[in-house]
Each structure stands twice: as C-alpha cells, then as structure tokens.
Amino acid sequence: MFEAKSYRNVKLDASAGGQVLDLETAVKDGILGGVTVGGLVCAGVAEKLDLKKMVEELESIEVPPVFICPISLDPMQDPVTLCTGQTYERYNILKWFSLGHCTCPTTMQELWDDTVTPNRTMQQLIYSWFSQKFLATKKRSEDVQGRAIELLDNLKKVKGQAKVQTLKELRQVVAAHSTARKAVLDNGGTALVTSLLGPFTTHAVGSEAVGILVNLDLDFATQSNLRQPARISLMVDMLNEGSIETKINCTRLMEMLMEGNDFEHENMSSLRLLVGLLRLVKDKKHPNGLLAGLGLLKSICSHESVRGSVVSIGTVPPLVELLPSLNNECLELALYILDVLSSIPEGRLALKVCANTIPNVVKLLMRVSETCTRLALSILWAVCMLAPEECTALAVEAGLAAKLLLVIQSGCNPVLKQQSVELLKLCSLNYTSTIFISECKLTRTIQ
C-alpha cells in the first residue's frame, strides 16, 4: 500500500560541490534553507509567514523528498515521529491509527509505543525552506511588476528604435510572467499598446505590439478597437511579410478577434489575408505555424460567404496532401475546413479533382477520433454524391467498404452508423453482390 521510504537518514545532494549530506548535517549547515536550529524565521523576514499559505502558493515547485509525508505524498506542515523513527504529517498518521492500524505505514513494523513526538527540527527546516522560496518568488514577482509598469511609462516618451527596444522587452516580460500581464492590464497597457497600431506603423513596432497583445486577456473595448480596418490591414501585411513569430502572433490575435459577437467577417475575407494564411499552412520550413494557421482558417470558413474565396485561392489540394502527416489537433481542424468547403459546389469539385482526396480521407476512418470519423464520412459523402460511379469505384478500391463496416459494428454514435450504411449502399449500387464483395476484398467473416 505504501512505498517503503526511511527519511531518518535520507541523503541529500548539496547544491555546492555535489556533496551528499544526511539530515543532521543539513540542519547543521543550513543546506535546506539556511536556518539555524532554534530559529524559525528566515534572515530578513520580520514577520512570521503562514506555512499553509506558502505550501499552497508553491504547489508546483519541486520539494525535497525529506519534507514529504509518506502517506499523503504532500509536504508536511506538522511533522511527528513514531517510535520507529519514521516521520509523518500529524493528521495523516492519526487517521491511520483511527482506522485500527497498529503498525508503522512505511516499515509495517508493529508499534510498541503509539506515541507521536513533534519533530521540531524537521518543522524548522520545512518552514525555513518554504519561507526562502516564497520570499524569492514574491520578490521576483514584485520586480517583474515594477519593470512592466516602468516599461509602459517609457513607451509614452521614447521614439524610433528606442520604442522598438522598449516594446521588445515588454513583450518578453509579458510572455514569461503572469504578474507582468496583470500589471499591463491594470495600468492601461492594452490601450497604450493598441494605439501604436495604425496605417503608418512600422512593422518593427507592429510586430512587437502584436506580440504583447496576443498574450493578454483583452476586454471587449480593446477587441473592438483592434478590429478597425486599418489595424486589421496592418496585421494582414505583417502576416504576409513578417518573421515566422510575427506571422503566428498576427494569426493568433486575429483569431481572438473573430470570437467577438460584433465581429464583421468582411474584415477577414480579403484575398491577401487568405493567401498569407495558406502560405503559413504550407510552410514546411516552419511547421510551428501550421496550428495557428489552421485555427484562423477554421474561424474564417465558419462564415459561409467567405468559403468560395477560400476555395478559389487553392486551399483544398494542399490540405488534402497534408492529411497523412498531421497530428490529431491539426487533423481535426483540417478536416473541419475541408468539410465546410464541401458544402459549396466549388469546394466539392475541388475535392473531387484532387487525386488523393478519397484515399487520404478513407484512411482516417476509425483511426483517430470519432470527430475525425464523422468529418471524414461527411467529406466522402459529398464527393461520392457529386460523381457516384467514378468516386465510389475509387472509394471501394481504397478500402472504404471494410472501413464502413468497422464503423457500423463499432460503438460509435448511431448517426455515424447510419451515415456509413447509406454510403455503403451508394458504393454497392454499381455492382452485383458477388462482384461488390470481391472488389471490396472482404474476409469471409465480414461477408
């Protein structure tokens, strides 16, 4: 039930020189927090800090194993030691006893004395270690907040290259620290940075400003401000001409802006934007732009009036060719885009004339997720209905019948099963039963 660990003589790696020290040496030399035995407060701390609060706020930090209770595997706050020499959190060991156990959880030795003795030395070490980490984290947080506010003030004064440098530093701070992001939001930073974007903004300034904004939780007013045509136009220009990082940031920011209820999709339907997005998706040198590009393309394609333009720039063939190599997240986005494009005649035709549409989509049935299977079925149905004789023959040759039978026999959604039945019927219309079974290369069991 419990992992056997003895913390009585735990060996700890000292940070300097790779020494291995036991607990007593750690106490003596202050390796675990610089505390002198008998003192509970870290150097420079006038007031006593709350250990529970510190443990909660430093939840994600790696804690020395010697501070961990073997029962709960959480840091101890009130450590007590048993007669076996093992140390536990008081609440946990008392609960162990209340369940009728008369043994040491770690060693499973029967206890000859059930007295629990407060381990003051361990408590001092735990308190000191957490205090030190907590204060260091707090100081870094305050330093970052102060620096963010200072940079915002500087932005109001500097010009030219100095402004670019200030924006760059602010972008780096905001990307790395949540406290900096809060400081920017609380001190009017979003309005200030947004005001820097306009028809005469240089790409150097614009790319840094967008890099800041994309890391913030933008309010309704800021989003509305950013949707102004001149600002969207600047982002589109940077999407086409900027660095890969700038392209990704512009794409992510525009996707954020499309989520608003008052968004007018005409702002996002320019061919220049669509061409820039397609380039980003096709860029094999920088595959990290693929997810962002597909995400924005999906949002754009959700507006029916834009779908014709998306097809006209040649979106379908490269997406079809990408299907076999995409990860699950990108695959669902790509299939969604192809599915909505198949809802218009131009999209269905583009899918039909692409030689790899049917074989690539058939392979995805029952391979990734139910969502992918649903989208793949919808695409195949649209293409096969456009030219039943030609396309169903290709689909059967690609192994569609066996895949459809797998869907029908699976625990998938009943709607998917019914779609599979209808598609299987469509595929069999041009064959006799014997020839259809033969063409499908089905096993005797499936027949």
Side-chain angles (χ1 to χ4, degrees):
M1 182 182 297
F2 298 97
E3 183 180 354
K5 297 179 182 176
S6 176
Y7 292 129
R8 192 174 190 181
N9 295 302
V10 170
K11 300 293 184 180
L12 300 168
D13 290 327
S15 58
Q19 281 182 290
V20 179
L21 304 174
D22 60 24
L23 181 56
E24 291 181 5
T25 309
V27 173
K28 179 181 176 182
D29 295 343
I31 296 299
L32 292 176
V35 70
T36 302
V37 178
L40 277 177
V41 183
C42 288
V45 183
E47 59 183 80
K48 185 174 174 65
L49 299 170
D50 182 73
L51 180 57
K52 182 179 180 181
K53 178 183 176 183
M54 292 190 292
V55 170
E56 290 173 353
E57 294 200 13
L58 297 174
E59 183 180 11
S60 60
I61 199 168
E62 186 175 354
V63 178
V66 71
F67 297 159
I68 301 296
C69 173
I71 297 177
S72 66
L73 301 182
D74 291 324
M76 294 182 286
Q77 298 178 40
D78 186 9
V80 294
T81 302
L82 302 185
C83 59
T84 58
Q86 305 300 317
T87 301
Y88 302 92
E89 175 65 24
R90 180 188 293 273
Y91 172 82
N92 296 331
I93 193 61
L94 292 181
K95 185 174 181 181
W96 171 262
F97 290 156
S98 72
L99 295 173
H101 299 294
C102 299
T103 56
C104 173
T106 298
T107 65
M108 297 311 294
Q109 289 177 269
E110 188 170 343
L111 299 176
W112 59 91
D113 182 356
D114 62 0
T115 303
V116 295
T117 305
N119 192 330
R120 300 301 183 195
T121 299
M122 177 65 77
Q123 189 176 42
Q124 290 169 1
L125 287 169
I126 294 171
Y127 182 86
S128 175
W129 189 88
F130 273 99
S131 297
Q132 191 178 56
K133 296 295 181 182
F134 177 78
L135 291 171
T137 302
K138 184 178 179 182
K139 186 176 187 305
R140 282 197 299 271
S141 174
E142 291 172 350
D143 290 345
V144 166
Q145 281 183 310
R147 184 57 181 155
I149 294 170
E150 182 183 353
L151 289 168
L152 287 175
D153 290 338
N154 289 345
L155 267 183
K156 301 171 185 177
K157 308 168 189 175
V158 295
K159 296 181 180 179
Q161 188 58 36
K163 177 172 286 189
V164 175
Q165 189 58 39
T166 302
L167 282 167
K168 182 178 181 179
E169 187 175 347
L170 183 59
R171 173 178 59 81
Q172 293 170 341
V173 170
V174 163
H177 302 283
S178 59
T179 50
R181 293 192 284 275
K182 186 176 185 304
V184 170
L185 291 170
D186 293 345
N187 290 273
T190 51
L192 175 60
V193 175
T194 299
S195 69
L196 301 177
L197 298 174
F200 304 109
T201 302
T202 65
H203 286 193
V205 169
S207 63
E208 299 298 345
V210 168
I212 294 168
L213 293 170
V214 80
N215 283 293
L216 302 175
D217 293 325
L218 304 177
D219 58 24
F220 179 80
T222 302
Q223 291 188 27
S224 297
N225 205 354
L226 285 168
R227 292 189 192 107
Q228 292 179 11
R231 293 191 167 112
I232 296 294
S233 178
L234 174 64
M235 290 183 230
V236 171
D237 286 344
M238 292 191 293
L239 170 62
N240 280 278
E241 301 168 13
S243 66
I244 185 62
E245 183 181 9
T246 298
K247 290 178 180 180
I248 293 172
N249 286 337
C250 288
T251 302
R252 289 173 54 208
L253 183 56
M254 285 189 281
E255 185 179 1
M256 288 167 60
L257 298 179
M258 288 196 73
E259 295 172 358
N261 295 328
D262 66 337
F263 176 73
E264 297 180 6
H265 66 267
E266 290 81 3
N267 292 340
M268 293 288 195
S269 60
S270 71
L271 287 178
R272 185 164 169 75
L273 167 59
L274 297 177
V275 169
L277 264 184
L278 188 57
R279 284 180 188 153
L280 183 62
V281 168
K282 292 165 59 179
D283 189 350
K284 294 181 179 179
K285 288 184 179 179
H286 303 99
N288 53 327
L290 180 60
L291 179 60
L294 289 173
L296 179 53
L297 200 54
K298 176 188 174 182
S299 297
I300 291 173
C301 287
S302 64
H303 298 278
E304 187 175 353
S305 60
V306 186
R307 293 171 190 170
S309 298
V310 175
V311 174
S312 70
I313 64 169
T315 301
V316 170
L319 283 188
V320 168
E321 297 304 321
L322 280 170
L323 290 178
S325 62
L326 297 178
N327 62 38
N328 292 0
E329 187 176 9
C330 289
L331 184 59
E332 287 197 6
L333 291 172
L335 285 173
Y336 175 89
I337 294 165
L338 292 174
D339 183 40
V340 295
L341 294 181
S342 73
S343 66
I344 61 173
E346 309 96 291
R348 288 192 289 274
L349 183 60
L351 284 163
K352 175 186 171 295
V353 299
C354 184
N356 286 324
T357 295
I358 290 176
N360 283 358
V361 176
V362 166
K363 289 175 184 175
L364 298 175
L365 292 172
M366 297 297 291
R367 287 241 351 231
V368 181
S369 66
E370 189 168 308
T371 299
C372 285
T373 296
R374 174 178 59 79
L375 294 170
L377 279 174
S378 179
I379 294 166
L380 289 168
W381 178 263
V383 174
C384 288
M385 285 297 290
L386 184 63
E389 287 191 27
E390 177 187 352
C391 293
T392 55
L394 290 172
V396 169
E397 186 179 340
L400 177 62
K403 289 277 194 176
L404 292 176
L405 288 170
L406 282 175
V407 176
I408 293 167
Q409 295 170 3
S410 72
C412 282
N413 188 301
V415 175
L416 291 184
K417 293 185 178 185
Q418 186 58 39
Q419 287 176 341
S420 299
V421 170
E422 296 301 325
L423 189 52
L424 193 60
K425 288 179 182 177
L426 184 65
C427 289
S428 66
L429 289 178
N430 298 309
Y431 301 92
T432 65
S433 296
T434 304
I435 295 176
F436 182 62
I437 291 173
S438 175
E439 288 289 330
C440 293
K441 301 179 179 63
L442 301 179
T443 66
R444 183 175 299 278
T445 303
I446 294 180
Q447 291 174 36

